Amino acid sequence: MIQLSEQVNPDYIILVEDILSDVDFQSLEQYRQHISSNRLQHSINVSYLSWWLARKMNADERMAARAGLLHDFCMYDFYDPANACNESQLLHHPKVAAETSRSHFEISQIEYEAILTHMYPFGPRPLSKVGWIVSHADKMSAFSEMTHVRLGLNRRGRLIPLCGNCA
């Protein structure tokens, strides 16, 4: 269960509340992501930053927020050798996230492609402004999580994850 602070802009919440309330999406909390976050926290960070950037850049805020939230919607541990496949997780997980997102939620082609291309330059090049925004927000969030610099919702208690070990 996710509890958002009243400091979170309600315009953002309206766009993503159906995803945030989804039980399968909430299960991302159990997977480690980078150094100081779990996959749920990382996804929310990417989403909020994507939404904010889209507002500043006159891009579609809804698509950016939702694609950012779903960009790592993979319900398996990337680091578990039992989940190894014939391709690197850098290339594999965007495909899984895009298909999982499509099967759980109604997403646009732009959102699907943004999820699929978020690992650029390791994977395919983004095809839209939203895709570029999500790709950049992912890298900015990953950097902050790996260096313990707080951005977006993970700052000053703006997101209150209901788990004991969340940073």
Side-chain angles (χ1 to χ4, degrees), residues 88-136:
S88 164
Q89 280 300 327
L90 286 174
L91 301 174
H92 182 69
H93 88 272
K95 297 172 190 172
V96 173
E99 289 304 319
T100 304
S101 297
R102 183 180 269 169
S103 71
H104 277 71
F105 304 100
E106 191 173 313
I107 62 171
S108 70
Q109 187 62 25
I110 291 174
E111 291 164 319
Y112 181 84
E113 289 173 353
I115 295 165
L116 207 54
T117 62
H118 80 271
M119 286 305 295
Y120 182 80
F122 302 107
R125 183 176 178 270
L127 303 173
S128 66
K129 195 179 218 182
V130 167
W132 283 106
I133 287 170
V134 171
S135 182
H136 280 63

Side-chain angles (χ1 to χ4, degrees), residues 11 23 152:
D11 294 343
V23 174

Side-chain angles (χ1 to χ4, degrees), residues 2-151:
I2 300 168
Q3 180 182 345
L4 295 174
S5 163
E6 64 278 350
Q7 292 179 328
V8 176
N9 190 315
D11 294 343
Y12 167 77
I13 296 170
I14 289 167
L15 301 176
V16 297
E17 60 190 342
D18 63 315
I19 299 172
L20 290 174
S21 65
D22 183 82
V23 174
D24 286 335
F25 182 78
Q26 290 177 13
S27 76
L28 297 180
E29 180 180 54
Q30 68 184 308
Y31 302 111
R32 179 172 54 104
Q33 189 87 4
H34 305 124
I35 294 171
S36 66
S37 67
N38 60 52
R39 194 168 306 149
L40 177 64
Q41 180 69 58
H42 170 71
S43 297
I44 294 170
N45 287 342
V46 171
S47 175
Y48 197 75
L49 185 54
S50 294
W51 170 80
W52 184 84
L53 288 169
R55 287 185 86 138
K56 299 294 180 191
M57 299 173 70
N58 283 333
D60 190 301
E61 299 168 23
R62 180 181 192 276
M63 284 194 260
R66 293 173 72 81
L69 201 52
L70 295 169
H71 81 285
D72 279 345
F73 189 23
C74 305
M75 295 175 285
Y76 66 91
D77 186 350
F78 295 164
Y79 306 102
D80 185 344
N83 295 320
C85 62
N86 292 335
E87 87 184 314
S88 164
Q89 280 300 327
L90 286 174
L91 301 174
H92 182 69
H93 88 272
K95 297 172 190 172
V96 173
E99 289 304 319
T100 304
S101 297
R102 183 180 269 169
S103 71
H104 277 71
F105 304 100
E106 191 173 313
I107 62 171
S108 70
Q109 187 62 25
I110 291 174
E111 291 164 319
Y112 181 84
E113 289 173 353
I115 295 165
L116 207 54
T117 62
H118 80 271
M119 286 305 295
Y120 182 80
F122 302 107
R125 183 176 178 270
L127 303 173
S128 66
K129 195 179 218 182
V130 167
W132 283 106
I133 287 170
V134 171
S135 182
H136 280 63
D138 179 46
K139 281 139 190 75
M140 292 167 67
S141 295
F143 174 79
S144 74
E145 292 158 13
M146 290 190 287
T147 59
H148 303 284
V149 175
R150 300 294 182 216
L151 294 174

